[in-house]
């Protein structure tokens, strides 16, 4: 099995500057969505977690590279080099470029700023020397300039969409020049762009500003200037006389900059958005509805104790987000937030509220965390398809009723639904706001068509473009059942429910090759490979997060499934036989959501009554991938073992040691899902740090 590499990791830890990180994240998300999840990561992730198998590109942005050395030297850099040599891609901007060179020479002879020394990554086998232009100041813009770059169009041939500009102005602030890059021997280095202006340091033969280094089977692209910086995101600097001219110059060449940056990313092997610079989606309204409208009114009453009334508006100021409650009686028949944003800006400005300042600007960097989320409570009926064109509420509730007739014990889950066309993350909006979810009934569900910050297990992010089914469900698990019915089994029950719901969705779905990977992933037989190869790809995942309140463990159970989306990877619709167009047309997210919820409610009711019985255990093993699988236990020094199953008391993975001939030794291990991760592609169970 070969993992699909869908993550672009942007280092945001020690040494980085907030401006560089924000510009980098914003540009990459606009250019790479929805094909990749652009994820900020800390040094602890790079040093301790198994990030490489799913990483398409590692980006080290601007800052101060001594900070990078302090936390990544040794194990972190060893992992980065191994990742690149094995076919990965590295992109370093400014400080990230100094850091990726064999030697850094910065402001030599200027004691307050001077940094000189060797660097462990050494992707560029020579010296990166800077600042290429004088005047740099840390945490300031006085040394910033619009540096003119001359592009080597031949070096980017095949990666550009059209004719690249021969020269363009690019934001620069402290970056270096790659000394004698054109004359490097012993490794392959391509100069993609050079500074056109006279340098203030010796660049040797040439003035290389951006280089591509071939390292083993991978590539490292290092850039002294900042082609990822958009002039739209540069705030005015009234105290710097030349800054307004700098922004105007960059604006004039912005299209050329974008074309160049797109070509560079393609050169690194990435698949870009079809739009030259896709706009990041705005958050939509969140619609609260119920099978019986009176349930919405009851929920609003339960929220009364946490609702803050200000200027005739109602807010829930949660621990992580602020929510503004609107009633459908206000006549706000809107799909996205545009009408509500206009109303909010007008009213908040009129009343002196500062909420309007938190609203994002589509032309600049969007900070989704500060945007007030709008909840429209539908007390008079269901949202219309004009309000939610990608989710038919009538179809959802009718499907819920239909499946309850055939699912014993399915009665209430999904009766109350929150739905948003574009949200940050259904799990995060619930789990990070205890005020919002306190008192919510078991089975309360929150679904979305697009997530811009979908969450996965550990440091993972679930890439969630339209066509995927994303939802989170509340389960209030009584504390007195915690010993006999441990919470850990909820993820196993959810996994069974997902597979069985898919295979019982409709006639013709019963043989879809969908399986479970321990502890919480959904896989399918890769339809692009011969069936005999037994090659599986991930199509879904489960994230279970738990809190405690009022005598119960309140679990936010998040589920994401690639259902009909063509990107980023294999979807359920791809598993249907090529001739079964009728089956494909019946696959509706609303109906699939109802099917999973009814099967999940039925299984949970049985689990509460009886625990994780032999019957549930058999159903779990019927669908999982691991029976008899040979694995290596990283935390035990690479001991070889064979998977036997999971324990029925605490749901731990049970494995038995094997000798070199594959015979069982009788020595057993039990591994917790929260402490270990399963690298299925390498047959490795590794300890999570």
């Amino acid at each position: 099995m070969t993992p699909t590499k869908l993550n672009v990791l942007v280092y945001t830890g020690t040494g980085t500057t907030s401006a560089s990180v924000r510009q980098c994240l914003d540009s990459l998300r606009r250019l790479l969505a929805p094909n990749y999840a652009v994820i900020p990561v800390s040094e602890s992730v790079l040093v301790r977690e198994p990030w490489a198998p799913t990483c398409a590109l590692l980006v080290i942005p601007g800052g101060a590279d001594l900070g990078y050395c302090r936390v990544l030297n040794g194990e972190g850099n060893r992992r980065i080099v191994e990742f690149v040599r094995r076919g990965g891609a590295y992109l370093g901007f400014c400080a990230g470029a100094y850091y990726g060179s064999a030697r850094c020479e910065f402001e030599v002879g200027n004691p307050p700023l001077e940094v000189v020394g060797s660097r462990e990554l050494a992707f560029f086998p020579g010296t990166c020397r800077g600042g290429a232009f004088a005047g740099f100041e840390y945490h300031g813009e006085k040394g910033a300039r619009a540096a003119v770059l001359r592009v080597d169009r031949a070096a980017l041939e095949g990666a550009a969409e059209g004719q690249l500009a021969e020269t363009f102005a690019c934001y620069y602030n402290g970056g270096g020049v790659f000394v004698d890059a054109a004359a490097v021997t012993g490794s392959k280095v391509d100069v993609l762009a050079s500074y056109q202006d006279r340098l203030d340091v010796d660049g040797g033969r040439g003035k290389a500003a951006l280089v591509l280094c071939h390292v083993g089977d991978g590539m490292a692209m290092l850039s002294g200037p900042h082609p990822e910086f958009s002039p739209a995101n540069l705030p005015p600097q009234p105290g710097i006389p030349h800054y307004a001219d700098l922004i105007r110059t960059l604006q004039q060449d912005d299209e050329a900059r974008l074309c160049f940056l797109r070509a560079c990313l393609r050169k690194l092997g990435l698949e870009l958005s079809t739009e030259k610079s896709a706009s990041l989606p705005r958050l939509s309204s969140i619609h609260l509805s119920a099978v019986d409208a009176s349930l919405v009114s009851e929920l609003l009453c339960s929220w009364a104790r946490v609702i803050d009334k200000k200027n005739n508006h109602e807010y829930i100021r949660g621990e992580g987000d602020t929510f503004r409650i609107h009633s459908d009686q206000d006549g706000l028949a809107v799909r996205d937030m545009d009408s509500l944003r206009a109303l909010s800006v007008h009213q908040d400005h009129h009343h002196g509220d500062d909420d309007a300042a938190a609203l994002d600007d589509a032309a600049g960097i969007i900070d989704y965390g500060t945007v007030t989320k709008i909840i429209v409570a539908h007390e008079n009926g269901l949202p219309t398809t004009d309000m939610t064109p990608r989710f038919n509420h009538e179809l959802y509730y009718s499907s819920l009723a239909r499946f309850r007739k055939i699912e014993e014990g399915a009665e209430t889950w999904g009766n109350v639904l929150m739905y948003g066309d574009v949200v940050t993350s259904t799990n995060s909006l619930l789990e990070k706001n205890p005020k919002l979810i306190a008192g919510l009934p078991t089975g309360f569900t929150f679904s979305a068509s697009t997530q811009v910050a979908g969450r996965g297990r550990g440091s993972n992010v679930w890439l969630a473009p339209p066509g995927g089914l994303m939802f989170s469900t509340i389960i209030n698990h009584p504390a007195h059942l915690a010993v006999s019915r441990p919470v850990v089994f909820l993820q196993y029950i959810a996994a069974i429910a997902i597979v069985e719901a898919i295979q019982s969705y409709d006639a013709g779905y019963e043989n879809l090759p969908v399986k479970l990977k321990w502890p919480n992933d959904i896989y399918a037989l890769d339809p692009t490979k011969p069936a005999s190869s037994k090659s599986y790809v991930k199509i879904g995942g489960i994230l279970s997060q738990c809190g405690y309140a009022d005598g119960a463990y309140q679990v936010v159970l998040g589920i994401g499934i690639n259902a009909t989306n063509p990107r980023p990877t294999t979807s359920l619709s791809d598993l249907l036989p090529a001739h079964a167009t009728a089956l494909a047309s019946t696959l509706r997210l609303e109906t699939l959501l109802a099917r999973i919820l009814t099967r999940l409610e039925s299984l949970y009711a049985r689990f509460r009554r009886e625990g994780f019985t032999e019957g549930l255990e058999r159903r779990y093993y019927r669908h999982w991938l691991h029976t008899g699988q040979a694995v290596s236990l990283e935390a035990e020094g690479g001991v070889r073992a064979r998977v036997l199953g999971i324990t029925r008391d605490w749901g731990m993975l049970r494995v038995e040691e094997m000798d070199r001939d594959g015979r069982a030794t009788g020595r057993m291990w039990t591994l917790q899902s929260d402490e270990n991760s399963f690298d299925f592609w390498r047959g490795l169970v590794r300890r999570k740090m």
Side-chain angles (χ1 to χ4, degrees):
M1 294 176 62
T2 302
T4 304
K5 297 190 174 187
L6 299 173
N7 292 338
V8 171
L9 305 184
V10 178
Y11 174 65
T12 60
T14 301
T16 59
T17 63
S18 59
S20 292
V21 166
R22 284 163 60 86
Q23 287 269 12
C24 190
L25 288 171
D26 182 71
S27 288
L28 293 178
R29 283 171 174 163
R30 290 177 187 271
L31 294 174
L32 298 176
N35 300 334
Y36 301 90
V38 180
I39 310 168
V41 295
S42 65
E43 55 264 29
S44 64
V45 171
L46 297 181
V47 173
R48 298 174 180 174
E49 295 196 19
W51 53 269
T54 56
C55 180
L57 173 68
L58 173 63
V59 185
I60 307 293
D65 95 316
L66 284 179
Y68 308 164
C69 294
R70 190 161 62 250
V71 296
L72 295 176
N73 273 358
E75 178 63 14
N77 287 337
R78 184 195 66 77
R79 285 169 165 240
I80 294 171
V81 170
E82 181 182 31
F83 162 70
V84 175
R85 288 193 176 279
R86 290 186 173 184
Y90 173 101
L91 177 57
F93 294 115
C94 199
Y98 285 114
Y99 189 63
S101 302
R103 182 174 174 81
C104 168
E105 293 183 2
F106 182 70
E107 293 294 316
V108 176
N110 184 359
L113 298 177
E114 181 177 286
V115 177
V116 178
S118 60
R119 297 292 181 263
E120 292 181 350
L121 295 182
F123 295 137
F124 176 66
T127 298
C128 183
R129 181 177 293 152
F133 303 102
F136 174 78
E137 292 184 3
Y138 277 114
H139 309 296
E141 293 289 306
K142 288 185 178 179
R145 64 185 292 159
V148 178
L149 302 185
R150 180 169 294 278
V151 179
D152 187 333
R153 291 187 287 196
L156 287 166
E157 187 176 0
E161 296 163 315
Q163 183 79 348
L164 291 174
E166 186 175 347
T167 62
F168 70 94
C170 179
Y171 178 85
Y172 168 91
N173 195 3
V177 58
F178 301 94
V179 179
D180 288 328
V184 166
T185 58
S187 62
K188 189 174 186 319
V189 175
D190 300 322
V191 178
L192 304 185
S194 301
Y195 296 109
Q196 179 165 285
D197 302 329
R198 185 184 65 82
L199 303 182
D200 292 322
V201 295
D202 181 8
R205 286 175 288 177
K207 296 185 284 187
L210 193 149
V211 296
L212 178 66
C213 309
H214 299 265
V215 183
D217 293 329
M219 293 179 284
M221 187 175 289
L222 310 178
S223 177
H226 286 281
E228 81 283 15
F229 269 47
S230 167
N233 295 331
L234 292 174
Q237 302 287 336
I240 303 177
H242 73 280
Y243 208 79
D245 290 336
L246 178 152
I247 292 178
R248 278 193 293 270
T249 300
L250 294 177
Q251 288 172 336
Q252 291 169 2
D253 282 3
D254 199 44
E255 185 174 348
R257 174 193 69 86
L258 274 173
C259 290
F260 176 76
L261 182 56
R262 288 174 65 87
C264 288
L265 293 172
R266 278 204 181 87
K267 192 74 174 178
L268 288 171
L270 276 75
E271 182 179 342
L272 272 65
S273 165
T274 54
E275 299 180 38
K276 285 193 174 181
S277 181
S279 59
L280 295 179
R282 290 182 175 182
L283 301 183
S284 69
S285 306
I286 298 170
H287 296 269
L288 175 64
S289 66
V291 66
D292 181 341
S294 65
L295 296 176
V296 175
S297 301
E298 291 177 12
L299 181 55
L300 293 177
C301 289
S302 73
W303 276 341
R305 59 188 178 84
V306 295
I307 287 179
D308 173 28
K309 294 186 178 181
K310 185 176 182 181
N311 299 329
N312 296 319
H313 305 304
E314 296 184 337
Y315 297 88
I316 296 177
R317 302 189 188 277
E319 293 80 352
D321 299 88
T322 296
F323 302 87
R324 185 165 168 178
I325 312 297
H326 286 266
S327 170
D328 59 349
Q329 298 176 8
D330 296 337
L332 297 172
V334 291
R335 175 170 77 91
D336 57 24
M337 289 182 70
D338 288 345
S339 297
L340 286 173
R341 282 164 54 87
L343 178 65
S344 296
V345 169
H346 171 75
Q347 292 177 338
D348 291 339
H349 176 74
H350 179 73
H351 293 290
D353 198 305
D354 61 0
D355 275 357
L359 295 173
D360 55 275
D361 178 0
I365 295 174
I366 297 176
D367 185 354
Y368 291 115
T370 62
V371 178
T372 297
K373 283 71 180 177
I374 307 297
I375 297 177
V376 180
H378 291 267
E379 298 180 82
N380 297 306
L382 299 178
T384 66
T385 52
D386 288 336
M387 300 177 190
T388 60
R390 289 195 282 192
F391 192 91
N392 187 319
H393 284 76
E394 288 189 359
L395 175 60
Y396 163 72
Y397 286 112
S398 64
S399 299
L400 205 58
R402 174 163 62 91
F403 289 128
R404 282 174 178 168
K405 293 178 181 178
I406 61 172
E407 198 69 66
E408 181 183 358
E411 299 174 353
T412 63
W413 287 31
N415 274 353
V416 182
L417 176 74
M418 281 207 315
Y419 165 80
D421 186 58
V422 181
V423 305
T424 51
S425 161
T426 58
N427 248 55
S428 293
L429 287 171
L430 295 178
E431 184 261 336
K432 292 187 177 298
N433 293 285
K435 284 183 183 178
L436 182 73
I437 66 173
L440 290 182
T442 291
F444 175 94
T445 297
F446 183 11
S447 185
S449 289
T450 300
Q451 292 187 147
V452 295
R455 295 181 62 189
R457 190 167 180 255
S459 62
N460 296 325
V461 169
W462 182 254
L463 192 56
L469 175 62
M470 289 81 66
F471 69 96
S472 300
T473 295
I474 297 289
I475 301 176
N476 297 304
H477 191 64
H480 70 271
L481 295 178
V483 174
S484 58
R485 280 86 165 144
V487 171
V488 67
F489 281 105
L490 295 184
Q491 62 186 334
Y492 301 149
I493 290 169
I496 298 171
I498 292 168
V499 174
E500 293 185 353
I502 290 170
Q503 294 178 341
S504 63
Y505 175 85
D506 201 354
Y509 284 77
E510 57 274 5
N511 294 320
L512 290 191
V514 181
K515 295 289 185 180
L516 314 178
K517 182 179 86 70
W518 183 84
N520 50 13
D521 287 330
I522 310 299
Y523 274 62
L525 200 62
D526 190 341
T528 67
K529 305 286 178 60
S532 59
S533 70
K534 295 294 182 182
S535 179
Y536 286 87
V537 292
K538 183 175 178 177
I539 64 166
I542 302 163
L543 175 63
S544 178
Q545 295 173 293
C546 185
Y548 184 85
D550 299 327
Y553 291 99
Q554 190 169 44
V555 177
V556 179
L557 187 70
I559 293 172
I561 301 170
N562 294 325
T564 62
N565 47 304
R567 292 288 305 168
T569 184
T570 302
S571 300
L572 285 178
S573 56
D574 298 322
L575 306 180
L576 297 170
H579 61 277
T581 54
L583 287 181
S585 66
T586 66
L587 183 54
R588 295 291 301 270
L589 300 183
E590 302 93 332
T591 306
L592 182 59
L593 173 59
R595 186 68 194 103
I596 293 174
L597 285 174
T598 50
R599 179 55 59 94
L600 181 57
E601 182 180 8
S602 176
L603 286 173
Y604 177 71
R606 178 175 176 179
F607 173 66
R608 278 197 57 167
R609 289 193 310 268
E610 306 169 5
F612 197 72
T613 61
E614 289 185 8
L616 287 176
E617 184 182 30
R618 283 194 299 271
R619 287 166 77 170
Y620 186 79
Y621 292 151
R622 187 186 310 151
H623 303 303
W624 88 330
L625 289 164
H626 306 298
T627 299
Q629 183 181 357
V631 297
S632 175
L633 305 182
E634 185 182 74
E636 302 296 333
V639 167
R640 297 295 295 168
R642 189 183 307 279
V643 175
L644 300 179
I646 57 174
T647 65
R648 282 174 47 205
D649 52 1
W650 297 105
M652 293 188 284
L653 188 71
R654 190 160 53 94
V655 301
E656 183 177 24
E657 183 184 44
M658 297 185 301
D659 63 21
R660 65 179 60 187
D661 296 320
R663 294 186 296 253
T665 68
R667 190 180 181 190
M668 310 286 288
W669 280 273
T670 54
L671 309 170
Q672 291 186 23
S673 63
D674 287 341
E675 294 181 356
N676 297 275
S677 60
F678 206 144
D679 189 341
F680 193 84
W681 300 280
R682 296 174 59 193
L684 183 71
V685 178
R686 62 173 74 239
R687 175 65 54 85
K688 292 185 71 181
M689 305 298 288

